[in-house]
Amino acid sequence: MATRRPFFAGNWKMFKTGGQAAEFVRDFAPLVKNSDHCDIVLAPPFTALEAVRTAMEGTNIELAAQNVHWEKEGAETGEVSGSMLVAAGCRYVIIGHSERRHHFGESDEAVHKKVKASLEEGLLPIVCVGETLSERESDETQKILERQFNGGLAGLTPSEFSRIIIAYEPVWAIGTGKTATPETAEEAHALLRGLTRKAQGEPMAERLRILYGGSVKPDSVSGLMAQVDIDGALVGGASLKPDSFAAIVNHR
Ligand code: PEP
């Protein structure tokens, strides 16, 4: 069985100015400087990318954006392109976060276009999928995950797919304090790995990293990470404080 390198990303959403972001990195970097068992990524708002890029120089922290537009440039007020993110120092980009899907109407088709454009620019997409509470309660979780997986990642070549990370983020667990149980999360992760096996074959399914996201905290991360198909976490609230995000990264 492939060993997958754990991956922890902090999604800061619309929190922190450049100054606050730089202060975070100054406090956080020493806490994770020996954490070479995993990848550590911060996704600040666009306006704090430069401050984090500068502050993280010489550390083991990498940079992600929270969104991207699929065009290279153009009349798209308020949007940012993949080449701009690369120039700003990003290696990763979060695509299709549930807040983008639900607050801003982002469709699977838009997710697909963003994934393709990001890959073309050399960015590594962290593609989010996940069901709402009413979808879970009406037994539609599998159908929703299949639709989001197939819609967002359709037709990727093996070389493209090998650069994808998936984040399973049940909408009912995001920012609510309700973490999915390790068993509930594992069931969805196994399903997503199964979809990858079907679309891309066994070796790709074995190497794909699937993160769990949804109210991950220092005291819930170990149980989640003990599951065979959970390879890391996408963390919102608990990534805003250096101590708690470091405790998640260093949970072992
Ligand atoms: C997220 O923003 O992706 C997230 C999972 O948030 P939280 O950890 O606060 O639930």
Side-chain angles (χ1 to χ4, degrees):
M1 195 205 276
T3 42
R4 295 180 289 269
R5 185 172 163 79
F7 187 105
F8 296 97
N11 172 21
W12 286 354
K13 313 191 187 203
M14 198 169 69
F15 292 100
K16 293 194 193 295
T17 62
Q20 292 164 336
E23 195 185 327
F24 176 100
V25 177
R26 273 196 300 275
D27 294 342
F28 176 68
L31 304 178
V32 298
K33 71 174 194 304
N34 296 322
S35 312
D36 45 18
H37 63 284
C38 65
D39 291 330
I40 307 166
V41 173
L42 293 174
F46 290 138
T47 48
L49 285 172
E50 175 59 21
V52 174
R53 191 191 64 72
T54 306
M56 75 186 201
E57 256 169 42
T59 73
N60 51 346
I61 302 167
E62 297 180 291
L63 195 57
Q66 298 176 18
N67 188 23
V68 64
H69 194 276
W70 53 84
E71 293 293 346
K72 285 184 191 305
E73 57 184 12
E76 302 288 354
T77 301
E79 295 289 332
V80 172
S81 73
S83 58
M84 292 170 183
L85 296 179
V86 170
C90 293
R91 178 155 195 237
Y92 298 92
V93 59
I94 299 172
I95 297 177
H97 189 279
S98 70
E99 287 149 18
R100 299 294 320 164
R101 292 180 189 263
H102 296 284
H103 303 182
F104 300 97
E106 204 160 292
S107 63
D108 292 328
E109 191 194 351
V111 169
H112 186 249
K113 288 202 277 193
K114 290 178 180 206
V115 167
K116 291 288 282 186
S118 298
L119 288 167
E120 243 171 67
E121 294 298 342
L123 286 163
L124 305 177
I126 301 169
V127 183
C128 302
V129 296
E131 79 288 358
T132 63
L133 183 60
S134 68
E135 287 161 349
R136 174 160 284 270
E137 285 175 347
S138 47
D139 243 347
E140 290 182 326
T141 301
Q142 177 168 349
K143 185 180 101 186
I144 297 300
L145 294 182
E146 279 181 13
R147 196 206 70 211
Q148 292 175 340
F149 178 97
N150 291 327
L153 303 174
L156 295 190
T157 65
S159 141
E160 287 173 331
F161 199 96
S162 69
R163 288 176 279 149
I164 298 283
I165 290 173
I166 292 181
Y168 168 62
E169 299 211 306
V171 181
W172 47 272
I174 298 179
T176 59
K178 267 197 234 166
T179 318
T181 64
E183 295 72 26
T184 301
E186 169 60 21
E187 204 181 317
H189 281 234
L191 192 149
L192 290 162
R193 204 174 298 289
L195 292 173
T196 305
R197 193 170 291 120
K198 204 162 138 196
Q200 296 280 344
E202 180 65 25
M204 191 74 82
E206 274 301 311
R207 71 177 280 178
L208 173 72
R209 289 186 289 183
I210 309 178
L211 317 181
Y212 169 77
S215 298
V216 175
K217 301 282 184 281
D219 62 1
S220 58
V221 66
S222 299
L224 291 158
M225 291 299 290
Q227 303 298 311
V228 285
D229 289 301
I230 300 185
D231 307 312
L234 181 55
V235 184
S239 73
L240 291 170
K241 294 225 166 70
D243 288 5
S244 64
F245 192 39
I248 288 172
V249 169
N250 296 325
H251 68 95
R252 300 184 302 168

Short mmCIF file of all heavy atoms in Angstrom, two decimals, residues 73-141:
data_model
loop_
_atom_site.label_atom_id
_atom_site.label_comp_id
_atom_site.label_asym_id
_atom_site.label_seq_id
_atom_site.Cartn_x
_atom_site.Cartn_y
_atom_site.Cartn_z
N GLU A 73 -6.45 36.45 -17.98
CA GLU A 73 -6.65 37.85 -17.64
C GLU A 73 -7.91 38.32 -18.36
O GLU A 73 -8.45 37.58 -19.18
CB GLU A 73 -5.44 38.71 -18.08
CG GLU A 73 -5.11 38.63 -19.54
CD GLU A 73 -3.86 39.43 -19.92
OE1 GLU A 73 -3.12 39.87 -19.02
OE2 GLU A 73 -3.65 39.61 -21.12
N GLY A 74 -8.38 39.51 -18.04
CA GLY A 74 -9.56 40.00 -18.76
C GLY A 74 -10.41 40.91 -17.91
O GLY A 74 -10.06 41.27 -16.79
N ALA A 75 -11.58 41.27 -18.48
CA ALA A 75 -12.51 42.16 -17.80
C ALA A 75 -13.34 41.34 -16.81
O ALA A 75 -14.44 40.89 -17.13
CB ALA A 75 -13.40 42.85 -18.84
N GLU A 76 -12.79 41.05 -15.65
CA GLU A 76 -13.42 40.18 -14.65
C GLU A 76 -13.24 40.83 -13.28
O GLU A 76 -12.47 40.34 -12.43
CB GLU A 76 -12.76 38.78 -14.66
CG GLU A 76 -12.79 38.05 -15.98
CD GLU A 76 -14.18 37.53 -16.35
OE1 GLU A 76 -15.12 37.65 -15.54
OE2 GLU A 76 -14.31 37.02 -17.48
N THR A 77 -13.92 41.93 -13.07
CA THR A 77 -13.71 42.73 -11.85
C THR A 77 -13.79 41.87 -10.59
O THR A 77 -14.73 41.11 -10.41
CB THR A 77 -14.78 43.85 -11.79
OG1 THR A 77 -14.64 44.65 -12.97
CG2 THR A 77 -14.60 44.72 -10.55
N GLY A 78 -12.78 42.03 -9.75
CA GLY A 78 -12.77 41.32 -8.47
C GLY A 78 -12.15 39.94 -8.51
O GLY A 78 -12.08 39.28 -7.48
N GLU A 79 -11.72 39.49 -9.69
CA GLU A 79 -11.19 38.13 -9.82
C GLU A 79 -9.66 38.13 -9.93
O GLU A 79 -9.05 39.17 -10.23
CB GLU A 79 -11.80 37.44 -11.05
CG GLU A 79 -13.28 37.22 -10.94
CD GLU A 79 -13.66 36.12 -9.94
OE1 GLU A 79 -12.85 35.20 -9.72
OE2 GLU A 79 -14.76 36.19 -9.37
N VAL A 80 -9.07 36.97 -9.71
CA VAL A 80 -7.61 36.81 -9.75
C VAL A 80 -7.29 35.54 -10.54
O VAL A 80 -7.95 34.52 -10.36
CB VAL A 80 -7.08 36.71 -8.29
CG1 VAL A 80 -5.62 36.35 -8.27
CG2 VAL A 80 -7.29 38.02 -7.54
N SER A 81 -6.30 35.62 -11.42
CA SER A 81 -6.01 34.46 -12.27
C SER A 81 -4.91 33.57 -11.69
O SER A 81 -4.17 33.99 -10.78
CB SER A 81 -5.56 34.94 -13.66
OG SER A 81 -4.25 35.47 -13.59
N GLY A 82 -4.79 32.38 -12.28
CA GLY A 82 -3.77 31.43 -11.83
C GLY A 82 -2.36 31.98 -11.96
O GLY A 82 -1.53 31.81 -11.06
N SER A 83 -2.07 32.64 -13.09
CA SER A 83 -0.71 33.16 -13.26
C SER A 83 -0.40 34.24 -12.22
O SER A 83 0.73 34.36 -11.74
CB SER A 83 -0.50 33.68 -14.69
OG SER A 83 -1.44 34.69 -14.96
N MET A 84 -1.43 34.99 -11.82
CA MET A 84 -1.23 36.00 -10.77
C MET A 84 -0.90 35.32 -9.43
O MET A 84 -0.07 35.80 -8.66
CB MET A 84 -2.48 36.87 -10.60
CG MET A 84 -2.76 37.75 -11.79
SD MET A 84 -4.40 38.50 -11.63
CE MET A 84 -4.46 39.39 -13.18
N LEU A 85 -1.58 34.19 -9.18
CA LEU A 85 -1.33 33.47 -7.92
C LEU A 85 0.07 32.86 -7.91
O LEU A 85 0.75 32.88 -6.88
CB LEU A 85 -2.39 32.37 -7.73
CG LEU A 85 -3.82 32.88 -7.57
CD1 LEU A 85 -4.79 31.71 -7.43
CD2 LEU A 85 -3.95 33.81 -6.37
N VAL A 86 0.49 32.34 -9.04
CA VAL A 86 1.85 31.79 -9.12
C VAL A 86 2.86 32.91 -8.86
O VAL A 86 3.80 32.76 -8.07
CB VAL A 86 2.09 31.13 -10.50
CG1 VAL A 86 3.56 30.76 -10.68
CG2 VAL A 86 1.21 29.88 -10.64
N ALA A 87 2.62 34.06 -9.49
CA ALA A 87 3.54 35.20 -9.30
C ALA A 87 3.54 35.67 -7.85
O ALA A 87 4.54 36.20 -7.36
CB ALA A 87 3.16 36.34 -10.24
N ALA A 88 2.41 35.45 -7.15
CA ALA A 88 2.32 35.87 -5.73
C ALA A 88 2.93 34.82 -4.80
O ALA A 88 2.91 34.99 -3.58
CB ALA A 88 0.87 36.12 -5.36
N GLY A 89 3.43 33.71 -5.37
CA GLY A 89 4.12 32.72 -4.55
C GLY A 89 3.29 31.52 -4.16
O GLY A 89 3.70 30.69 -3.34
N CYS A 90 2.09 31.36 -4.76
CA CYS A 90 1.24 30.22 -4.39
C CYS A 90 1.70 28.94 -5.08
O CYS A 90 2.03 28.95 -6.26
CB CYS A 90 -0.22 30.47 -4.80
SG CYS A 90 -0.97 31.79 -3.86
N ARG A 91 1.65 27.85 -4.34
CA ARG A 91 1.87 26.53 -4.94
C ARG A 91 0.53 25.82 -5.10
O ARG A 91 0.35 25.01 -6.00
CB ARG A 91 2.81 25.74 -4.03
CG ARG A 91 3.06 24.35 -4.51
CD ARG A 91 4.37 23.77 -4.01
NE ARG A 91 4.72 22.59 -4.77
CZ ARG A 91 4.94 21.40 -4.24
NH1 ARG A 91 4.91 21.23 -2.93
NH2 ARG A 91 5.21 20.38 -5.02
N TYR A 92 -0.40 26.10 -4.19
CA TYR A 92 -1.69 25.42 -4.16
C TYR A 92 -2.82 26.42 -4.33
O TYR A 92 -2.64 27.61 -4.10
CB TYR A 92 -1.90 24.73 -2.80
CG TYR A 92 -0.88 23.65 -2.51
CD1 TYR A 92 0.30 23.95 -1.81
CD2 TYR A 92 -1.08 22.34 -2.92
CE1 TYR A 92 1.23 22.96 -1.53
CE2 TYR A 92 -0.15 21.34 -2.65
CZ TYR A 92 1.00 21.66 -1.96
OH TYR A 92 1.92 20.67 -1.69
N VAL A 93 -3.99 25.90 -4.71
CA VAL A 93 -5.20 26.74 -4.71
C VAL A 93 -6.39 25.89 -4.29
O VAL A 93 -6.54 24.76 -4.76
CB VAL A 93 -5.42 27.43 -6.08
CG1 VAL A 93 -5.57 26.42 -7.22
CG2 VAL A 93 -6.66 28.32 -6.04
N ILE A 94 -7.19 26.43 -3.37
CA ILE A 94 -8.42 25.75 -2.95
C ILE A 94 -9.49 26.05 -4.00
O ILE A 94 -9.69 27.20 -4.38
CB ILE A 94 -8.89 26.26 -1.56
CG1 ILE A 94 -7.82 25.96 -0.50
CG2 ILE A 94 -10.23 25.66 -1.17
CD1 ILE A 94 -8.10 26.62 0.86
N ILE A 95 -10.16 25.00 -4.46
CA ILE A 95 -11.19 25.19 -5.50
C ILE A 95 -12.48 24.50 -5.05
O ILE A 95 -12.45 23.37 -4.55
CB ILE A 95 -10.72 24.62 -6.86
CG1 ILE A 95 -9.48 25.39 -7.34
CG2 ILE A 95 -11.83 24.71 -7.92
CD1 ILE A 95 -8.88 24.87 -8.63
N GLY A 96 -13.60 25.21 -5.23
CA GLY A 96 -14.92 24.61 -4.96
C GLY A 96 -15.22 24.46 -3.47
O GLY A 96 -16.01 23.58 -3.09
N HIS A 97 -14.64 25.31 -2.63
CA HIS A 97 -15.00 25.27 -1.21
C HIS A 97 -16.51 25.45 -1.09
O HIS A 97 -17.13 26.17 -1.89
CB HIS A 97 -14.26 26.40 -0.47
CG HIS A 97 -14.40 26.28 1.02
ND1 HIS A 97 -15.52 26.74 1.69
CD2 HIS A 97 -13.58 25.75 1.96
CE1 HIS A 97 -15.37 26.49 2.99
NE2 HIS A 97 -14.20 25.90 3.18
N SER A 98 -17.12 24.84 -0.09
CA SER A 98 -18.59 24.88 0.00
C SER A 98 -19.09 26.32 0.14
O SER A 98 -20.20 26.64 -0.29
CB SER A 98 -19.10 24.03 1.15
OG SER A 98 -18.74 24.61 2.37
N GLU A 99 -18.26 27.20 0.75
CA GLU A 99 -18.72 28.60 0.83
C GLU A 99 -18.75 29.25 -0.55
O GLU A 99 -19.59 30.10 -0.84
CB GLU A 99 -17.82 29.38 1.82
CG GLU A 99 -18.15 28.96 3.26
CD GLU A 99 -16.99 29.03 4.23
OE1 GLU A 99 -15.98 29.71 3.96
OE2 GLU A 99 -17.10 28.38 5.29
N ARG A 100 -17.82 28.85 -1.42
CA ARG A 100 -17.86 29.34 -2.81
C ARG A 100 -19.09 28.76 -3.52
O ARG A 100 -19.79 29.44 -4.26
CB ARG A 100 -16.60 28.92 -3.60
CG ARG A 100 -15.28 29.43 -3.08
CD ARG A 100 -15.11 30.92 -3.16
NE ARG A 100 -15.63 31.51 -4.36
CZ ARG A 100 -15.86 32.82 -4.49
NH1 ARG A 100 -15.61 33.66 -3.50
NH2 ARG A 100 -16.32 33.30 -5.61
N ARG A 101 -19.33 27.46 -3.29
CA ARG A 101 -20.45 26.82 -3.99
C ARG A 101 -21.78 27.39 -3.50
O ARG A 101 -22.67 27.69 -4.32
CB ARG A 101 -20.45 25.29 -3.73
CG ARG A 101 -19.29 24.54 -4.35
CD ARG A 101 -19.40 23.06 -4.01
NE ARG A 101 -18.23 22.29 -4.39
CZ ARG A 101 -18.12 21.57 -5.51
NH1 ARG A 101 -19.10 21.54 -6.39
NH2 ARG A 101 -17.03 20.87 -5.76
N HIS A 102 -21.92 27.56 -2.17
CA HIS A 102 -23.23 27.91 -1.62
C HIS A 102 -23.47 29.41 -1.50
O HIS A 102 -24.59 29.87 -1.68
CB HIS A 102 -23.47 27.18 -0.29
CG HIS A 102 -23.52 25.69 -0.47
ND1 HIS A 102 -24.60 25.04 -1.00
CD2 HIS A 102 -22.59 24.74 -0.27
CE1 HIS A 102 -24.35 23.74 -1.09
NE2 HIS A 102 -23.13 23.53 -0.65
N HIS A 103 -22.41 30.19 -1.21
CA HIS A 103 -22.63 31.64 -1.08
C HIS A 103 -22.47 32.35 -2.43
O HIS A 103 -22.94 33.45 -2.60
CB HIS A 103 -21.63 32.28 -0.10
CG HIS A 103 -21.67 31.69 1.28
ND1 HIS A 103 -20.89 32.16 2.32
CD2 HIS A 103 -22.38 30.66 1.80
CE1 HIS A 103 -21.12 31.44 3.41
NE2 HIS A 103 -22.02 30.53 3.12
N PHE A 104 -21.72 31.75 -3.34
CA PHE A 104 -21.41 32.46 -4.59
C PHE A 104 -21.83 31.67 -5.83
O PHE A 104 -21.43 31.98 -6.93
CB PHE A 104 -19.91 32.80 -4.65
CG PHE A 104 -19.47 33.68 -3.50
CD1 PHE A 104 -18.89 33.14 -2.38
CD2 PHE A 104 -19.71 35.06 -3.54
CE1 PHE A 104 -18.52 33.94 -1.30
CE2 PHE A 104 -19.35 35.87 -2.46
CZ PHE A 104 -18.75 35.31 -1.35
N GLY A 105 -22.60 30.61 -5.62
CA GLY A 105 -23.20 29.89 -6.75
C GLY A 105 -22.20 29.17 -7.64
O GLY A 105 -22.46 29.01 -8.85
N GLU A 106 -21.08 28.75 -7.09
CA GLU A 106 -20.08 28.08 -7.94
C GLU A 106 -20.55 26.67 -8.31
O GLU A 106 -20.87 25.87 -7.44
CB GLU A 106 -18.77 28.01 -7.16
CG GLU A 106 -17.57 27.91 -8.04
CD GLU A 106 -16.31 28.33 -7.29
OE1 GLU A 106 -16.19 29.53 -6.96
OE2 GLU A 106 -15.49 27.47 -7.04
N SER A 107 -20.58 26.38 -9.60
CA SER A 107 -21.09 25.10 -10.09
C SER A 107 -19.95 24.10 -10.29
O SER A 107 -18.78 24.48 -10.31
CB SER A 107 -21.78 25.32 -11.44
OG SER A 107 -20.79 25.78 -12.37
N ASP A 108 -20.32 22.84 -10.50
CA ASP A 108 -19.30 21.83 -10.83
C ASP A 108 -18.56 22.21 -12.11
O ASP A 108 -17.37 21.95 -12.26
CB ASP A 108 -19.96 20.45 -11.01
CG ASP A 108 -20.51 19.91 -9.69
OD1 ASP A 108 -19.93 20.19 -8.64
OD2 ASP A 108 -21.54 19.21 -9.73
N GLU A 109 -19.29 22.83 -13.03
CA GLU A 109 -18.66 23.24 -14.30
C GLU A 109 -17.59 24.30 -14.05
O GLU A 109 -16.49 24.26 -14.62
CB GLU A 109 -19.76 23.78 -15.22
CG GLU A 109 -19.30 23.98 -16.63
CD GLU A 109 -20.29 24.83 -17.43
OE1 GLU A 109 -21.40 25.12 -16.94
OE2 GLU A 109 -19.92 25.21 -18.56
N ALA A 110 -17.92 25.26 -13.17
CA ALA A 110 -16.93 26.30 -12.83
C ALA A 110 -15.73 25.67 -12.13
O ALA A 110 -14.58 26.03 -12.40
CB ALA A 110 -17.58 27.37 -11.95
N VAL A 111 -16.00 24.72 -11.23
CA VAL A 111 -14.91 24.03 -10.52
C VAL A 111 -14.00 23.36 -11.55
O VAL A 111 -12.77 23.47 -11.49
CB VAL A 111 -15.48 22.99 -9.52
CG1 VAL A 111 -14.38 22.08 -8.97
CG2 VAL A 111 -16.21 23.70 -8.37
N HIS A 112 -14.60 22.70 -12.52
CA HIS A 112 -13.83 22.00 -13.55
C HIS A 112 -12.94 22.98 -14.33
O HIS A 112 -11.76 22.72 -14.57
CB HIS A 112 -14.80 21.27 -14.49
CG HIS A 112 -14.11 20.41 -15.49
ND1 HIS A 112 -14.08 20.69 -16.83
CD2 HIS A 112 -13.38 19.28 -15.34
CE1 HIS A 112 -13.38 19.76 -17.45
NE2 HIS A 112 -12.94 18.90 -16.58
N LYS A 113 -13.52 24.12 -14.70
CA LYS A 113 -12.73 25.11 -15.47
C LYS A 113 -11.58 25.66 -14.62
O LYS A 113 -10.47 25.88 -15.11
CB LYS A 113 -13.64 26.27 -15.91
CG LYS A 113 -14.59 25.85 -17.02
CD LYS A 113 -15.10 27.03 -17.82
CE LYS A 113 -16.26 27.71 -17.18
NZ LYS A 113 -16.98 28.66 -18.02
N LYS A 114 -11.85 25.85 -13.34
CA LYS A 114 -10.81 26.37 -12.44
C LYS A 114 -9.70 25.33 -12.24
O LYS A 114 -8.51 25.68 -12.17
CB LYS A 114 -11.43 26.75 -11.08
CG LYS A 114 -12.32 27.99 -11.16
CD LYS A 114 -12.97 28.33 -9.84
CE LYS A 114 -13.85 29.57 -10.02
NZ LYS A 114 -14.03 30.33 -8.79
N VAL A 115 -10.09 24.07 -12.13
CA VAL A 115 -9.09 23.00 -11.96
C VAL A 115 -8.18 22.95 -13.19
O VAL A 115 -6.95 22.95 -13.08
CB VAL A 115 -9.79 21.63 -11.73
CG1 VAL A 115 -8.80 20.47 -11.87
CG2 VAL A 115 -10.46 21.59 -10.37
N LYS A 116 -8.79 22.95 -14.37
CA LYS A 116 -8.01 22.86 -15.62
C LYS A 116 -7.05 24.05 -15.75
O LYS A 116 -5.88 23.90 -16.07
CB LYS A 116 -8.94 22.82 -16.85
CG LYS A 116 -9.75 21.57 -17.00
CD LYS A 116 -8.94 20.36 -17.42
CE LYS A 116 -8.61 20.36 -18.90
NZ LYS A 116 -7.93 19.09 -19.29
N ALA A 117 -7.60 25.25 -15.50
CA ALA A 117 -6.78 26.46 -15.65
C ALA A 117 -5.64 26.48 -14.64
O ALA A 117 -4.51 26.86 -14.96
CB ALA A 117 -7.66 27.70 -15.48
N SER A 118 -5.92 26.04 -13.41
CA SER A 118 -4.88 26.04 -12.37
C SER A 118 -3.76 25.07 -12.74
O SER A 118 -2.57 25.39 -12.61
CB SER A 118 -5.47 25.61 -11.03
OG SER A 118 -6.45 26.52 -10.64
N LEU A 119 -4.15 23.89 -13.21
CA LEU A 119 -3.14 22.90 -13.60
C LEU A 119 -2.27 23.44 -14.73
O LEU A 119 -1.06 23.25 -14.75
CB LEU A 119 -3.83 21.59 -14.02
CG LEU A 119 -4.44 20.78 -12.87
CD1 LEU A 119 -5.35 19.69 -13.41
CD2 LEU A 119 -3.36 20.18 -11.97
N GLU A 120 -2.91 24.13 -15.66
CA GLU A 120 -2.15 24.71 -16.78
C GLU A 120 -1.11 25.72 -16.31
O GLU A 120 -0.05 25.85 -16.90
CB GLU A 120 -3.12 25.44 -17.71
CG GLU A 120 -3.18 24.83 -19.10
CD GLU A 120 -4.31 25.46 -19.89
OE1 GLU A 120 -4.24 26.66 -20.20
OE2 GLU A 120 -5.29 24.72 -20.16
N GLU A 121 -1.41 26.40 -15.22
CA GLU A 121 -0.48 27.41 -14.68
C GLU A 121 0.55 26.78 -13.74
O GLU A 121 1.40 27.47 -13.20
CB GLU A 121 -1.24 28.50 -13.92
CG GLU A 121 -2.14 29.35 -14.77
CD GLU A 121 -1.40 30.14 -15.85
OE1 GLU A 121 -0.17 30.30 -15.74
OE2 GLU A 121 -2.06 30.56 -16.81
N GLY A 122 0.40 25.47 -13.46
CA GLY A 122 1.36 24.81 -12.57
C GLY A 122 0.95 24.84 -11.11
O GLY A 122 1.74 24.49 -10.24
N LEU A 123 -0.29 25.28 -10.83
CA LEU A 123 -0.78 25.25 -9.45
C LEU A 123 -1.31 23.85 -9.11
O LEU A 123 -1.76 23.12 -10.01
CB LEU A 123 -1.93 26.25 -9.28
CG LEU A 123 -1.54 27.72 -9.24
CD1 LEU A 123 -2.78 28.59 -9.50
CD2 LEU A 123 -0.90 28.09 -7.90
N LEU A 124 -1.28 23.50 -7.83
CA LEU A 124 -1.81 22.21 -7.39
C LEU A 124 -3.17 22.46 -6.74
O LEU A 124 -3.25 23.10 -5.68
CB LEU A 124 -0.85 21.56 -6.39
CG LEU A 124 0.59 21.39 -6.88
CD1 LEU A 124 1.48 20.80 -5.79
CD2 LEU A 124 0.63 20.50 -8.12
N PRO A 125 -4.27 21.98 -7.37
CA PRO A 125 -5.60 22.26 -6.84
C PRO A 125 -5.97 21.38 -5.64
O PRO A 125 -5.73 20.18 -5.65
CB PRO A 125 -6.53 21.93 -8.02
CG PRO A 125 -5.66 21.82 -9.22
CD PRO A 125 -4.32 21.37 -8.71
N ILE A 126 -6.56 22.01 -4.63
CA ILE A 126 -7.18 21.28 -3.51
C ILE A 126 -8.68 21.40 -3.76
O ILE A 126 -9.27 22.48 -3.57
CB ILE A 126 -6.81 21.93 -2.15
CG1 ILE A 126 -5.29 21.95 -1.96
CG2 ILE A 126 -7.52 21.20 -1.01
CD1 ILE A 126 -4.81 22.79 -0.77
N VAL A 127 -9.27 20.33 -4.27
CA VAL A 127 -10.66 20.40 -4.74
C VAL A 127 -11.61 19.92 -3.64
O VAL A 127 -11.49 18.78 -3.17
CB VAL A 127 -10.84 19.52 -6.00
CG1 VAL A 127 -12.26 19.64 -6.54
CG2 VAL A 127 -9.84 19.93 -7.08
N CYS A 128 -12.54 20.80 -3.24
CA CYS A 128 -13.43 20.48 -2.12
C CYS A 128 -14.75 19.89 -2.62
O CYS A 128 -15.33 20.38 -3.58
CB CYS A 128 -13.76 21.74 -1.33
SG CYS A 128 -12.30 22.56 -0.69
N VAL A 129 -15.21 18.86 -1.92
CA VAL A 129 -16.51 18.26 -2.18
C VAL A 129 -17.18 18.01 -0.83
O VAL A 129 -16.50 17.94 0.19
CB VAL A 129 -16.40 16.92 -2.97
CG1 VAL A 129 -15.81 17.14 -4.35
CG2 VAL A 129 -15.56 15.90 -2.20
N GLY A 130 -18.50 17.87 -0.85
CA GLY A 130 -19.18 17.56 0.42
C GLY A 130 -20.66 17.84 0.33
O GLY A 130 -21.09 18.74 -0.39
N GLU A 131 -21.40 17.07 1.10
CA GLU A 131 -22.86 17.15 1.07
C GLU A 131 -23.39 18.08 2.18
O GLU A 131 -22.73 18.26 3.20
CB GLU A 131 -23.47 15.75 1.24
CG GLU A 131 -23.51 15.21 2.66
CD GLU A 131 -22.15 14.81 3.24
OE1 GLU A 131 -21.14 14.91 2.52
OE2 GLU A 131 -22.11 14.42 4.42
N THR A 132 -24.57 18.63 1.98
CA THR A 132 -25.23 19.43 3.02
C THR A 132 -25.93 18.47 4.00
O THR A 132 -26.05 17.26 3.74
CB THR A 132 -26.31 20.35 2.42
OG1 THR A 132 -27.32 19.53 1.82
CG2 THR A 132 -25.74 21.28 1.36
N LEU A 133 -26.44 19.05 5.08
CA LEU A 133 -27.14 18.22 6.08
C LEU A 133 -28.39 17.59 5.47
O LEU A 133 -28.65 16.40 5.65
CB LEU A 133 -27.51 19.09 7.30
CG LEU A 133 -28.17 18.33 8.44
CD1 LEU A 133 -27.25 17.23 8.96
CD2 LEU A 133 -28.53 19.29 9.57
N SER A 134 -29.14 18.39 4.69
CA SER A 134 -30.38 17.81 4.16
C SER A 134 -30.07 16.73 3.13
O SER A 134 -30.79 15.73 3.04
CB SER A 134 -31.30 18.89 3.60
OG SER A 134 -30.73 19.45 2.45
N GLU A 135 -28.99 16.89 2.39
CA GLU A 135 -28.60 15.83 1.44
C GLU A 135 -28.21 14.56 2.20
O GLU A 135 -28.56 13.45 1.80
CB GLU A 135 -27.45 16.32 0.55
CG GLU A 135 -27.91 17.34 -0.48
CD GLU A 135 -26.79 18.19 -1.08
OE1 GLU A 135 -25.65 18.18 -0.58
OE2 GLU A 135 -27.09 18.90 -2.06
N ARG A 136 -27.46 14.72 3.32
CA ARG A 136 -27.10 13.54 4.12
C ARG A 136 -28.35 12.88 4.68
O ARG A 136 -28.51 11.66 4.62
CB ARG A 136 -26.13 13.92 5.24
CG ARG A 136 -25.84 12.77 6.19
CD ARG A 136 -24.57 12.97 6.98
NE ARG A 136 -23.37 12.73 6.18
CZ ARG A 136 -22.76 11.55 6.06
NH1 ARG A 136 -23.24 10.49 6.69
NH2 ARG A 136 -21.70 11.42 5.31
N GLU A 137 -29.25 13.72 5.21
CA GLU A 137 -30.45 13.14 5.84
C GLU A 137 -31.37 12.47 4.84
O GLU A 137 -32.12 11.58 5.18
CB GLU A 137 -31.19 14.24 6.63
CG GLU A 137 -30.44 14.54 7.91
CD GLU A 137 -31.02 15.71 8.72
OE1 GLU A 137 -31.86 16.47 8.16
OE2 GLU A 137 -30.61 15.85 9.87
N SER A 138 -31.30 12.92 3.56
CA SER A 138 -32.14 12.21 2.59
C SER A 138 -31.32 11.17 1.82
O SER A 138 -31.70 10.79 0.70
CB SER A 138 -32.87 13.20 1.68
OG SER A 138 -31.99 14.16 1.20
N ASP A 139 -30.23 10.73 2.43
CA ASP A 139 -29.44 9.61 1.90
C ASP A 139 -28.84 9.88 0.53
O ASP A 139 -28.73 8.98 -0.31
CB ASP A 139 -30.35 8.36 1.79
CG ASP A 139 -29.85 7.28 2.71
OD1 ASP A 139 -28.71 7.42 3.19
OD2 ASP A 139 -30.60 6.30 2.92
N GLU A 140 -28.48 11.14 0.30
CA GLU A 140 -27.97 11.50 -1.03
C GLU A 140 -26.46 11.73 -1.04
O GLU A 140 -25.92 12.20 -2.04
CB GLU A 140 -28.67 12.77 -1.53
CG GLU A 140 -30.13 12.56 -1.86
CD GLU A 140 -30.76 13.84 -2.39
OE1 GLU A 140 -30.37 14.92 -1.95
OE2 GLU A 140 -31.64 13.72 -3.24
N THR A 141 -25.80 11.42 0.07
CA THR A 141 -24.36 11.74 0.17
C THR A 141 -23.58 11.14 -1.00
O THR A 141 -22.81 11.84 -1.68
CB THR A 141 -23.80 11.22 1.51
OG1 THR A 141 -24.53 11.87 2.56
CG2 THR A 141 -22.33 11.53 1.65
#
